[in-house]
Amino acid sequence: GGPGPMALIRRPEDGEPLLIDALPYLDTEYDDPAVQAMVRQMIEEEMATMPKRDYLAHLPEPPSSLFDGHEMLQHEMARVEAQKPMPPLDVSRYEVPPPPKELLKDQTAWRKALTNAKSQLQHHHTRLANLELLQQYGPQAWLQHNAALGSIKQTLMKESQAAEKDAEQANLKRKIMQERAGPRLAHMHYEMHNAAEENLQIASACALLRKDVKRLKIEVGAEEEATTA
């Protein structure tokens, strides 16, 4: 990965450089299931030797409690945690009941019921006004809202297409660079193997020579002892 055959990437948390030497367009051995199994085993063995790290150390501590300062939300959260059912909605405020039978002759009770009826009537007037406004201006408002969403969609699509194009160009550039370097890497790999084989042959010859030198020294020493005797 990266702009060239190899790249150095610096981890933001500790600044330790990592050498990325993957060549996905040349390293085709990973397609072999046996190689994949071997790689997975090597990764697991490597991870077993790695010290445990706190990968969340750079993040802030989570809040000790949710909804601080919001008593209603805290009460609702406690209800959900206790798996208690939600209390039914109180619709009594939307009703227009008359005074109870025992207060039918009470003027104060009738004034209270009348005030409640006027409030409910005003709420209905407000609802009707809102519905009329929605009927008159709602369709055009939704058309403008949809047009704004369409404009946002077009902008995001252009940005997405530009990002995809940049990614394709980067991948194409990486592929061309790796394929151009492939024959040279193969030749260097071949030369490395030949050099290693030659070094092995030289080392083997040197070992034989050392053995012969040691043998000759022993023979010369034995002849000198025989001569002096």
Side-chain angles (χ1 to χ4, degrees), residues 39-179:
V39 170
R40 283 195 297 267
Q41 182 180 359
M42 293 175 64
I43 292 175
E44 293 175 357
E45 293 175 354
E46 180 68 18
M47 292 181 64
T49 61
M50 295 171 59
K52 293 184 178 180
R53 298 176 55 188
D54 186 4
Y55 294 97
L56 304 178
H58 64 287
L59 297 176
E61 291 289 335
S64 57
S65 61
L66 296 175
F67 310 122
D68 290 337
H70 301 278
E71 183 178 355
M72 182 180 296
L73 294 177
Q74 290 179 352
H75 179 73
E76 183 64 15
M77 179 61 70
R79 180 193 66 79
V80 173
E81 290 179 351
Q83 298 183 354
K84 294 182 179 179
M86 184 176 181
L89 295 177
D90 184 12
V91 296
S92 60
R93 57 176 298 185
Y94 304 108
E95 299 175 353
V96 189
K101 293 181 179 181
E102 61 272 14
L103 298 177
L104 290 177
K105 297 182 179 181
D106 189 347
Q107 294 183 0
T108 302
W110 278 105
R111 289 193 186 97
K112 185 176 179 181
L114 181 61
T115 300
N116 178 53
K118 290 180 178 180
S119 298
Q120 297 299 329
L121 181 62
Q122 184 59 43
H123 287 322
H124 282 291
H125 283 313
T126 303
R127 294 189 185 99
L128 288 175
N130 290 334
L131 288 175
E132 290 175 357
L133 290 172
L134 180 61
Q135 185 176 7
Q136 183 175 358
Y137 300 106
Q140 186 62 31
W142 272 109
L143 289 176
Q144 294 180 0
H145 177 67
N146 290 337
L149 291 179
S151 177
I152 295 174
K153 177 184 176 182
Q154 292 297 329
T155 302
L156 294 177
M157 288 181 63
K158 289 181 180 179
E159 294 178 355
S160 175
Q161 292 173 357
E164 291 179 358
K165 184 177 180 181
D166 292 341
E168 290 178 357
Q169 291 178 351
N171 291 332
L172 180 60
K173 181 180 178 181
R174 186 178 297 115
K175 180 180 180 181
I176 292 174
M177 293 180 64
Q178 292 184 17
E179 290 180 346

Side-chain angles (χ1 to χ4, degrees), residues 9-26:
I9 295 180
R10 193 171 297 276
R11 282 193 259 188
E13 61 269 18
D14 53 11
E16 180 183 352
L18 296 175
L19 177 63
I20 307 300
D21 60 351
L23 300 174
Y25 297 102
L26 298 178

